[in-house]
Amino acid sequence: MDMKRCLFCDQIVHVQFIGEYERFANCSCAPGDSYSLSKDSYEQFHALSYAVKRQMFPIMSAYIRETTDVGGAVALSFEDLEKIEQSPLIPVTIEDKADRLLQYLYRHSESPLQPVVIHRLSDSYNLTYSLNLQELVYIIERLKDELLIERIGTTFKLTTEGWSKAEALSGGKRLKSCLVYLDHDTVNRADWAEQVFPRIEECGYSPLLGDDAQDSESSDYHVRNITESKLVVADLTGQS
């Protein structure tokens, strides 16, 4: 097994070559897990400008970490950059990013005040889709001031109030992975994000947008991603 640098978190990790993909294992994007990147995409991502990398690579890393954390499989190509950037599921505001940290702590605990250790905080700002560590620290302090979490060093606890809010955000359940396939050209994704995704979450699933399942270049990925998901929702309007 070879070693290679993960473009999105900058760690040197083990990489395994599987068909048209390279599988990166146990980096900060997928601690204890892995993600796959199409071989021809590595150099395309690497060739992006510094400005684009600075803005998008932390978001890509966060997308990978959140998806794998809820049990989803991740196999990326260069075309996914724009799709993820425009996805309505990506949090933008500080409030939405703070909610992601609450949900993460909720997934990794069984009750209020149960400790959750986040190792290497400097490598974990992808938990909140933050662009840097400073923003993650600001979010943590904000949640502490709102009495939603407690923190001692690398140990975090949801307070009773924090647990209740995280439970409400998660529909009262540990969210399981749900793939959502939408037509790229005709479907209003904003409507889905506002009306359909909240209903999916209420049923105990975390909606993750998939690629077009008819993309033959990544058909192996789609088969694996579908079989590993607990639920698949597809809009087939107008399809042959």
Side-chain angles (χ1 to χ4, degrees):
M1 186 175 292
D2 296 330
M3 304 292 290
K4 198 169 185 178
R5 182 170 67 90
C6 170
L7 294 171
F8 308 122
C9 69
D10 209 35
Q11 288 188 334
I12 304 295
V13 295
H14 290 290
V15 61
Q16 183 179 8
F17 300 94
I18 304 175
E20 296 300 316
Y21 284 87
E22 299 174 329
R23 178 175 292 175
F24 293 79
N26 203 32
C27 63
S28 294
C29 301
D33 211 317
S34 65
Y35 76 93
S36 298
L37 181 68
S38 62
K39 292 179 180 178
D40 58 349
S41 294
Y42 189 91
E43 291 303 324
Q44 291 176 289
F45 278 113
H46 182 65
L48 289 169
S49 68
Y50 173 76
V52 173
K53 292 178 181 177
R54 183 180 180 184
Q55 177 66 29
M56 284 305 302
F57 280 12
I59 294 176
M60 299 292 288
S61 178
Y63 170 82
I64 295 168
R65 182 156 189 177
E66 184 175 53
T67 304
T68 55
D69 194 61
V70 299
V74 177
L76 299 169
S77 65
F78 186 71
E79 290 70 25
D80 291 308
L81 180 70
E82 183 177 359
K83 297 173 186 176
I84 293 173
E85 181 181 22
Q86 297 177 356
S87 171
L89 299 177
I90 303 301
V92 177
T93 66
I94 291 294
E95 291 76 10
D96 289 341
K97 293 178 180 182
D99 287 348
R100 286 303 214 274
L101 182 57
L102 293 177
Q103 289 175 291
Y104 173 82
L105 295 175
Y106 180 74
R107 288 196 301 270
H108 289 265
S109 56
E110 297 296 332
S111 62
L113 299 179
Q114 181 177 4
V116 177
V117 177
I118 300 178
H119 296 288
R120 296 186 304 180
L121 198 63
S122 60
D123 294 331
S124 298
Y125 55 87
N126 54 12
L127 290 174
T128 55
Y129 285 81
S130 296
L131 299 183
N132 50 57
L133 176 61
Q134 289 73 22
E135 185 173 88
L136 172 60
V137 171
Y138 172 79
I139 289 172
I140 291 171
E141 293 302 315
R142 177 170 175 158
L143 291 174
K144 285 175 59 181
D145 291 343
E146 294 173 355
L147 303 180
L148 297 175
I149 67 170
E150 296 178 1
R151 177 197 176 191
I152 301 177
T154 59
T155 300
F156 294 77
K157 300 177 183 179
L158 285 171
T159 65
T160 302
E161 293 81 3
W163 176 271
S164 297
K165 181 173 182 179
E167 187 176 40
L169 290 168
S170 304
K173 303 176 182 179
R174 303 296 191 283
L175 297 185
K176 295 167 285 188
S177 59
C178 168
L179 275 181
V180 179
Y181 285 94
L182 303 178
D183 184 275
H184 296 303
D185 300 321
T186 62
V187 173
N188 188 329
R189 296 193 172 199
D191 287 343
W192 274 73
E194 294 173 4
Q195 301 178 34
V196 182
F197 293 158
R199 304 290 84 78
I200 293 175
E201 291 180 346
E202 288 176 3
C203 294
Y205 295 89
S206 176
L208 303 169
L209 284 173
D211 299 326
D212 184 355
Q214 297 179 3
D215 183 358
S216 60
E217 294 182 358
S218 56
S219 58
D220 291 342
Y221 156 60
H222 290 294
V223 170
R224 180 165 57 88
N225 212 359
I226 289 171
T227 56
E228 292 181 0
S229 294
K230 302 299 183 182
L231 176 69
V232 177
V233 176
D235 178 78
L236 304 179
T237 307
Q239 302 302 310
S240 60

